[in-house]
């Protein structure tokens, strides 16, 4: 189980390594060659001496123009120690593998992105012995994907968009679009992406919104985020959660919920029926549409 945004932000590239090269090409406009093959490598850079150094994610990309090592670092805040660590990582990897390392930093913070994008220059002014220029993915350049068709065209990029932008007034559209896209891929991958997004949502309302959306499409029950719910082990708990989730989705989407609709949903004790209503709540334009054809 992914337990933090730090872990989710780089592990999404392990789940879909080609997302990283797409991000380089489409988001950062870096003409990185199309890989023939991408493989994950050991992230441990520890030397024989007991000094442990690890990168977050390390991928090897085989292209027609050569082999590259893609070093992905998830960064929550500015950390001046990285100005020593990152050059070390790159030089160590070049020495070990004899192919070109590329440093990519992923962050949810605009301030951290600005800090990380500063070149790291080692040496004296006018004659730097080593210059490191990280490529940075963050809120200012990762696209906001709030359209279902866009999300369905690239569900992994849509997940990265939600992980980066899943807060504020636009969160519902972003999360709804991703929820729609996850229905188009296999359920195991969808559950993994659902967990990544959940780990990155710091806003409590956005997190609850996302969990309600995932419950509606039944992915929530398939990954470890549901353990706390499973442990309750009572049908009544599931019924109550499904009732509340159906009403919450309508309210978060700005759809008025008349008392008659609220009472009917809260009175329902058929879990299958509640799941049907929850699905309809994702797309309804009027609360009464929950009960269409009934």
């Amino acid at each position: 189980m992914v337990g933090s945004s730090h872990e989710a932000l780089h592990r999404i590239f392990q789940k879909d390594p080609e997302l990283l090269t797409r991000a380089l090409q489409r988001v950062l406009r870096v003409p990185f060659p199309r890989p023939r093959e991408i493989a994950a490598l050991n992230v441990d850079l520890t030397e024989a001496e007991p000094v442990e150094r690890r990168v977050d994610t390390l991928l090897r990309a085989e292209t027609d123009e050569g082999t590259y090592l893609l070093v992905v670092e998830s960064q929550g805040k500015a950390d001046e120690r990285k100005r020593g660590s990152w050059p070390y990582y790159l030089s160590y990897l070049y020495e070990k593998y004899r192919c070109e390392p590329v440093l990519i930093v992923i962050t949810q913070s605009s301030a951290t992105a600005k800090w990380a994008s500063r070149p790291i220059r080692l040496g004296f002014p006018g004659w730097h012995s080593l210059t490191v220029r990280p490529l940075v993915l963050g809120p200012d350049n990762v696209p906001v994907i709030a359209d279902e068709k866009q999300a369905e065209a690239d569900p992994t990029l849509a997940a990265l968009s939600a992980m980066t932008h899943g807060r504020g007034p636009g969160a519902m559209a972003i999360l709804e679009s991703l929820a729609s896209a996850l229905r188009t891929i296999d359920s195991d991958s969808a559950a993994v992406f659902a967990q990544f997004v959940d780990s990155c949502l710091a806003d409590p309302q956005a997190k609850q919104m996302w969990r309600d959306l995932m419950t509606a499409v039944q992915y929530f029950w398939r990954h470890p985020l549901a353990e706390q719910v499973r442990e309750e082990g009572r049908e009544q708990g599931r019924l109550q959660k499904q009732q509340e989730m159906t009403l919450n989705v309508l309210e978060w989407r700005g759809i008025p919920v008349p008392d008659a609709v609220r009472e009917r949903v809260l009175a329902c004790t058929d879990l299958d029926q509640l799941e049907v209503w929850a699905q309809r709540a994702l797309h309804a334009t009027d609360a009464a549409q929950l009960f269409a054809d009934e």
Side-chain angles (χ1 to χ4, degrees):
M1 179 177 176
V2 175
S4 68
S5 60
H6 174 93
E7 190 176 357
L9 282 169
H10 69 85
R11 279 189 55 186
I12 189 172
F13 298 111
Q14 297 176 16
K15 176 64 180 173
D16 181 4
E18 291 189 1
L19 170 66
L20 191 55
T21 58
R22 294 200 301 275
L24 291 176
Q25 295 164 351
R26 301 179 191 175
V27 178
L28 298 179
R29 305 299 180 187
V30 174
F32 191 86
R34 183 180 181 84
R36 297 190 307 273
E37 178 184 353
I38 298 182
L41 301 180
N42 191 333
V43 300
D44 192 346
L45 308 185
T46 306
E47 301 181 69
E49 298 179 2
V51 178
E52 184 176 307
R53 299 179 187 270
R54 293 176 184 270
V55 296
D56 288 333
T57 286
L58 180 61
L59 305 170
R60 183 182 62 227
E62 303 285 351
T63 79
D64 291 336
E65 299 177 20
T67 301
Y68 296 89
L69 297 176
L70 304 178
V71 184
V72 185
E73 285 282 278
S74 174
Q75 196 68 28
K77 60 182 180 181
D79 182 354
E80 289 303 315
R81 292 176 299 177
K82 292 296 185 180
R83 300 185 68 77
S85 298
W86 287 341
Y88 169 84
Y89 295 166
L90 300 180
S91 58
Y92 175 89
L93 289 168
Y94 180 77
E95 174 64 21
K96 181 176 181 178
Y97 293 101
R98 288 295 169 178
C99 49
E100 302 294 338
V102 180
L103 174 61
I104 302 101
V105 178
I106 173 76
T107 181
Q108 295 175 289
S109 164
S110 294
T112 303
K114 184 177 180 180
W115 165 82
S117 64
R118 289 164 40 205
I120 301 170
R121 297 186 175 94
L122 304 181
F124 62 87
W127 194 272
H128 298 108
S129 300
L130 177 64
T131 300
V132 176
R133 298 179 62 194
L135 295 165
V136 182
L137 294 166
D140 297 328
N141 55 17
V142 172
V144 174
I145 298 181
D147 176 81
E148 289 186 6
K149 290 184 178 179
Q150 278 187 293
E152 290 171 6
D154 194 338
T156 317
L157 185 60
L160 182 63
S161 175
M163 292 159 69
T164 309
H165 300 288
R167 64 182 66 185
M172 189 63 191
I174 295 171
L175 297 177
E176 277 188 325
S177 298
L178 176 58
S180 175
L182 293 186
R183 295 191 199 99
T184 68
I185 64 177
D186 68 277
S187 59
D188 288 340
S189 293
V192 172
F193 291 135
Q195 185 180 340
F196 285 164
V197 172
D198 187 273
S199 297
C200 288
L201 294 174
D203 185 316
Q205 185 175 16
K207 186 183 286 284
Q208 186 59 53
M209 187 189 308
W210 178 241
R211 290 187 175 188
D212 286 348
L213 287 170
M214 291 298 92
T215 304
V217 293
Q218 297 182 324
Y219 294 134
F220 181 83
W221 304 102
R222 297 176 185 168
H223 61 70
L225 289 171
E227 287 300 325
Q228 63 197 47
V229 179
R230 289 194 186 102
E231 288 172 1
E232 295 174 1
R234 290 184 174 85
E235 185 73 7
Q236 184 58 40
R238 292 187 63 186
L239 285 171
Q240 183 178 353
K241 187 171 184 64
Q242 194 78 2
Q243 293 163 349
E244 293 173 351
M245 182 274 299
T246 302
L247 297 172
N248 285 343
V249 169
L250 290 172
E251 290 170 353
W252 282 328
R253 296 185 62 227
I255 297 174
V257 181
D259 289 342
V261 171
R262 184 180 302 276
E263 290 170 4
R264 183 170 176 180
V265 171
L266 294 177
C268 181
T269 58
D270 184 336
L271 188 59
D272 291 337
Q273 181 63 73
L274 287 168
E275 289 178 350
V276 170
W277 291 347
Q279 292 273 4
R280 291 176 180 171
L282 294 172
H283 303 285
T285 56
D286 184 278
Q289 292 177 3
L290 264 61
F291 316 125
D293 303 324
E294 295 178 14

